[in-house]
Amino acid sequence: ERKATPEVISLEPVERLFYEMVTQVVRNLASEMAAGVEGFLLCMPQRQMTSSMPAAYRAWMRDSERPDGNEVYEAGGDEDEIVDEGWGPVVGELRRRARGITSFEALRDADSKFRRLSQVASDLLKQNPKAKIVLFSFFKETLRYLHERLAEIGIGSNVLTGGSGLDKEAIIESFRDTP
């Protein structure tokens, strides 16, 4: 039986600070650009944070995720002078500012959404050890992050993404056949 259950999750202080900082940074950048771009610029960072704040932070900080595939270079070794060419002004500024207010580890430790997911999943699996849960996300980094976190608490998972170059049929079979 499929059952979608909406959840209301209260943000931890570090999550709220991160969300508000990202929103303000994007609004400030938008005010320096053409009129009417604020909503457009806010859409993707807010969707990514809503999916998973630790995953969004990690994706924005990960050098290998740069659109041009090049490494991030530091000018003079000072973190405030990080050159973020290729990321564009929004993510470049988010990278610079986020480092000053939080870390991946802090967001991970305070992850209110994962805390609730782990409670729901653990309860369901205690009631029915053969139960299977399907999670969807538009943000691939969230799926990677959840795969890691679920493994930490002893819940196995498979990640299936579009364009991943994986044998999707084998992953589906494994999901279907593995208890």
Side-chain angles (χ1 to χ4, degrees):
E1 168 187 344
R2 295 180 185 187
K3 183 179 178 185
T5 307
E7 294 279 342
V8 176
I9 309 293
S10 297
L11 296 177
E12 294 291 329
V14 70
E15 293 173 310
R16 181 165 305 287
L17 178 67
F18 181 64
Y19 188 88
E20 289 172 356
M21 180 279 301
V22 169
T23 300
Q24 194 57 51
V25 164
V26 175
R27 285 187 171 145
N28 290 345
L29 287 169
S31 72
E32 298 168 8
M33 297 177 178
V37 300
E38 181 178 310
F40 176 74
L41 290 179
L42 270 173
C43 180
M44 193 55 66
Q46 286 184 336
R47 283 186 69 199
Q48 290 171 339
M49 287 188 300
T50 301
S51 181
S52 169
M53 287 191 203
Y57 184 97
R58 184 166 68 183
W60 297 338
M61 297 300 168
R62 183 175 287 156
D63 296 345
S64 64
E65 295 286 321
R66 282 204 22 184
D68 61 5
N70 293 323
E71 294 181 28
V72 173
Y73 296 95
E74 294 184 13
D78 184 52
E79 278 197 38
D80 290 337
E81 296 178 0
I82 292 176
V83 177
D84 283 317
E85 296 169 9
W87 276 110
V90 174
V91 176
E93 185 65 11
L94 292 176
R95 287 168 55 90
R96 188 182 71 72
R97 293 282 301 277
R99 285 185 182 102
I101 66 157
T102 193
S103 66
F104 170 74
E105 291 76 17
L107 289 169
R108 184 189 179 287
D109 291 347
D111 191 350
S112 55
K113 287 180 72 176
F114 181 76
R115 188 170 32 258
R116 180 64 181 139
L117 172 64
S118 66
Q119 290 170 346
V120 170
S122 295
D123 290 348
L124 177 66
L125 293 170
K126 282 178 190 167
Q127 294 171 13
N128 182 357
K130 293 184 179 187
K132 300 202 179 194
I133 303 166
V134 178
L135 302 173
F136 294 93
S137 177
F138 81 98
F139 189 35
K140 290 180 184 180
E141 189 62 32
T142 294
L143 297 174
R144 291 182 201 109
Y145 172 76
L146 290 176
H147 179 72
E148 294 164 11
R149 293 296 309 268
L150 290 168
E152 291 169 8
I153 62 170
I155 298 176
S157 64
N158 296 317
V159 175
L160 177 61
T161 62
S164 63
L166 301 174
D167 183 350
K168 291 174 179 59
E169 291 303 318
I171 293 171
I172 292 169
E173 271 185 49
S174 172
F175 177 78
R176 192 177 307 130
D177 298 340
T178 304

